[in-house]
Amino acid sequence: MKNRLLFVIQSCLIIQLWLAVPSRVWAQLEQSDRLEIPTSSSRSEVFEVFTLGNGGLISLVRGDDFIGNRNETWEFTKYDISLNPVWRVNYKLDNRYTPVMAHQGQDHGYWLFAQPDTDHFLFIQMNFMDGAIETFKGDLLSGIDVHQFKVIGSKAVIAGYHRSRPVVVIHSFFDHTSKVLPGLYEKNTELNNVDINEQDGIINVITYAYRKKNCVFEIKTYSYEGRLVKKTSLSDPKNSFISGQIVPLNQDDSYLIGNYSVGCTPYSQGLYITHITDNEPDAPEFIEFSELQNFFNFMKPKRRQRVMERIGKRKSLGKENRFRYRLLVHELIQTEDEIVLVAEVYYPNQRAGSPIITNGINRPYSGRSIEGYRYTHAIVCGFDRNGKFKWDNCIPIKDLNSFELQEMVQLTPVNDYFILAYPQEGTIHTEVINRSKVVVENEKFEITAKSESDKVLTNENAYLAPWYGQYFLAYGMQRVGPSTVGLGREVFYINKLTYKTEGIQKAENRESNDVPR
């Protein structure tokens, strides 16, 4: 009887303790739908996914049958938001061409192919509505190393390097003519970004140049026909601009947002924003990492305290701080009231050896070989529509490595929250923030198989992509089977995931009501 009474008392205490922690929010991530595409053991295959918002998604399966010189088969399938097939289209690729890059427009998808050792290129245009395919051929530059490919109207924009110098070519699909944009083919210059403004019909080419021991950041604006319209130069006696993205306000008015360094190095010291009217930039606002409220939250508390004390001591002595962070800056996310920047901090994994030798624009000539990249954390920063920095936050990333430098952390706005998530070895890590406040700390969710009788045996090449509303997609390769005994079967999976914030809102309301008044 005493034991039973003790058990009841303990149970009541546990319930009371659970009710006394209003800020605890239980897992909200749900796997609502899943698509499994079996792989073939008789051919090599490549899988890709293109999200279309609430219009669904398109999967691409590229297959080579290893038989002579047979052309590669490209199978496109469109799925609706419930992952049901809508249409399927096959395309036989001429084996003289190799795929280079893809571009996703509003209503069409585009693929660029090159014929090696020639100036012949092939373009595929696909209508997302019905899968109708059109092909266009053209001659560009032989030996161009393509870094970016975009489409504006009925013209392709191909940016890259030719004989180690930057070049941007626009190619008309209708009359098959090509034009090299003027003013770019210069020494000691690198392409930073090619920005397409379809509404105004202009092309902005952002370059980074090393001239007379100074780093010069330039925006060259071209008309739809390829005529140089204006040029904007940004230079600062102390800081160097590493990257920049344009936020147009009107045809002659815009913001430029990016990250900066000191002394023409690739190491970011912080973020900047500047207002550009016509081609004249205002004095940039530089935001050093030490000025961010949450930048160092990826560190353990004791280490973070030591770092902050060291930064504060240097500032009190009038000394400048020097950081060695590399940033992968995502495309800006624009809402009605805010401009949101997401960037991942990473380090190249390198073999031991001699130091890298670089020129003024940090292009390696020799040294250690890179063996992938290691991510430490991602930062999220918000600016208002008047160009003022408002808030920041961060999500720690633990033991995440990638052979390619690519965006791993995805941000999805849901109501008043931002869902941050990244994939890792068959799991999804999430964090929920409300601007500078973390409302749900890091949680981990398993990506499960479609059938309850199946288990996930291995995971490979996991990716994450925002989809629509509060939904996003996880996709990659898995080996699944009814038990851990045996090899199971390999599938390419696409999981529809949703993060419900209702529980967060209730927990926050409960927490605010418990605050003494």
Side-chain angles (χ1 to χ4, degrees), residues 6-20:
L6 180 63
F7 174 76
V8 172
I9 294 172
Q10 288 176 335
S11 301
C12 291
L13 287 172
I14 291 172
I15 293 172
Q16 288 175 356
L17 287 171
W18 180 76
L19 292 174

Side-chain angles (χ1 to χ4, degrees), residues 311-324:
I311 290 173
K313 185 176 181 180
R314 288 185 63 85
K315 284 187 176 182
S316 66
L317 296 173
K319 296 182 179 180
E320 295 180 353
N321 291 292
R322 289 289 186 270
F323 304 108
R324 294 181 64 84

Side-chain angles (χ1 to χ4, degrees), residues 21-29 393-396 414 416-422 428-445 499-508 510-511:
V21 187
S23 60
R24 175 65 174 129
V25 181
W26 301 107
Q28 302 291 316
L29 189 68
N393 219 314
C394 111
I395 176 173
V414 180
D416 292 330
Y417 307 102
F418 292 105
I419 314 299
L420 295 164
Y422 66 90
I428 304 295
H429 293 255
T430 65
E431 181 178 285
V432 185
I433 64 173
N434 187 344
R435 308 309 183 266
S436 59
K437 178 184 178 183
V438 177
V439 294
V440 181
E441 294 184 352
N442 192 290
E443 294 183 309
K444 186 169 68 172
F445 303 89
Y499 202 107
K500 296 187 176 180
T501 59
E502 291 84 353
I504 304 174
Q505 187 69 53
K506 291 178 182 178
E508 284 196 316
R510 187 165 63 245
E511 186 176 358

Side-chain angles (χ1 to χ4, degrees), residues 7 11 35 39 49 65 177 303 306 320 382 401 406 430:
F7 174 76
S11 301
L35 176 68
T39 64
V49 170
D65 293 325
T177 57
R303 183 189 170 198
R306 290 196 303 269
E320 295 180 353
N401 292 274
Q406 56 190 331
T430 65

Side-chain angles (χ1 to χ4, degrees), residues 117-131:
D117 302 321
T118 73
D119 59 357
H120 303 322
F121 284 77
L122 172 70
F123 302 89
I124 288 180
Q125 173 185 280
M126 166 176 286
N127 189 315
F128 290 146
M129 184 62 66
D130 56 10

Side-chain angles (χ1 to χ4, degrees), residues 165-180:
R165 296 189 183 187
V167 63
V168 178
V169 183
I170 57 173
H171 176 80
S172 172
F173 293 144
F174 290 143
D175 59 16
H176 311 293
T177 57
S178 298
K179 180 178 181 178
V180 177

